[in-house]
Amino acid sequence: MTSKSNEMPAFQPLLDTIDLEDTVLTTDALHTQHAHGAYLRTRGAHYLAVVKKNHPGLYAQVRKLPWAEIPLEHRTRDKAHHRVEIRRLKVAAFRHLDYPGARQAIQVVRWRRELSTGKLTIERVYVITSLDIYDATPAQLAAWIRGHWGIENLLHHVRDRTFREDESKVRTGHLPRTMAGLRNLAVSLFRQNGEANIAAALRHTSRDYHRPLSALGLT
């Protein structure tokens, strides 16, 4: 689904088909909606929900917590893809957040340095969760948040950068959803075949019309 408006009404019907009891769901800022949070709690699920400026009241409430006074709970450092990345996580137990069932607020600061250029990028991300301090350790929270970003990188980043989905001129009727489905199919096939670089796989496949048919098992 390319249109973000299509994702909103699909949230509950999709999850209605899944047993959510005692699960932890991670969502991006689009789905940080009061109705979604309340729905997950009634289904017995916990959430980790990203908070951004599209929810100004909640964002301001979380951002203005005294993070400078809150001790560092978890730190990781990784070197990959020609860059060094440091992630620092702080957690604040706070039961007065304006969101159904919220028990903690989380601040993640990501430092990225490109080794080839020396460019440094610092990003602050805020997350709220229904998990209490006794339900998960800071390391577990960090792992779930990083896992969510991993999914974003594997699919949405590819759709945004490799397929340039946001620049697509296809906007009529059901065509945007159809094209999104075809892009997802292509990415899934390449991943299934062990391809790590989707852009390179697309270039290779486009050089011979037999190759996409072979990948689909049609020849």
Side-chain angles (χ1 to χ4, degrees), residues 39-166:
Y39 168 80
L40 292 175
R41 295 306 295 130
T42 59
R43 292 289 311 280
H46 286 288
Y47 58 77
L48 285 162
V50 175
V51 180
K52 291 186 177 179
K53 293 180 180 179
N54 57 327
H55 301 285
L58 182 60
Y59 178 80
Q61 190 179 19
V62 174
R63 185 179 63 84
K64 291 179 180 178
L65 290 173
W67 293 110
E69 302 170 18
I70 296 171
L72 181 66
E73 296 280 3
H74 188 71
R75 180 184 184 276
T76 60
R77 182 182 187 277
D78 296 294
K79 182 178 179 181
H81 305 295
H82 307 291
R83 70 187 182 203
V84 174
E85 183 166 307
I86 297 173
R87 304 176 192 85
R88 297 163 55 90
L89 180 143
K90 294 182 176 183
V91 185
F94 193 68
R95 293 180 180 271
H96 300 289
L97 291 167
D98 183 23
Y99 198 79
R103 292 293 178 265
Q104 297 185 90
I106 303 165
Q107 182 197 66
V108 180
V109 180
R110 296 193 290 185
W111 302 61
R112 291 178 179 172
R113 184 178 296 279
E114 300 293 336
L115 297 178
S116 58
T117 64
K119 180 182 178 181
L120 176 65
T121 303
I122 302 174
E123 179 185 15
R124 283 177 175 80
V125 180
Y126 297 101
V127 180
I128 55 175
T129 180
S130 57
L131 292 162
D132 214 328
I133 58 174
Y134 305 107
D135 295 327
T137 65
Q140 287 174 314
L141 295 174
W144 284 323
I145 294 169
R146 186 175 180 183
H148 179 81
W149 288 335
I151 294 171
E152 292 280 335
N153 289 336
L154 285 173
L155 181 58
H156 296 294
H157 182 76
V158 170
R159 283 167 51 174
D160 291 343
R161 296 298 181 87
T162 303
F163 289 101
R164 299 187 179 276
E165 192 170 70
D166 289 342

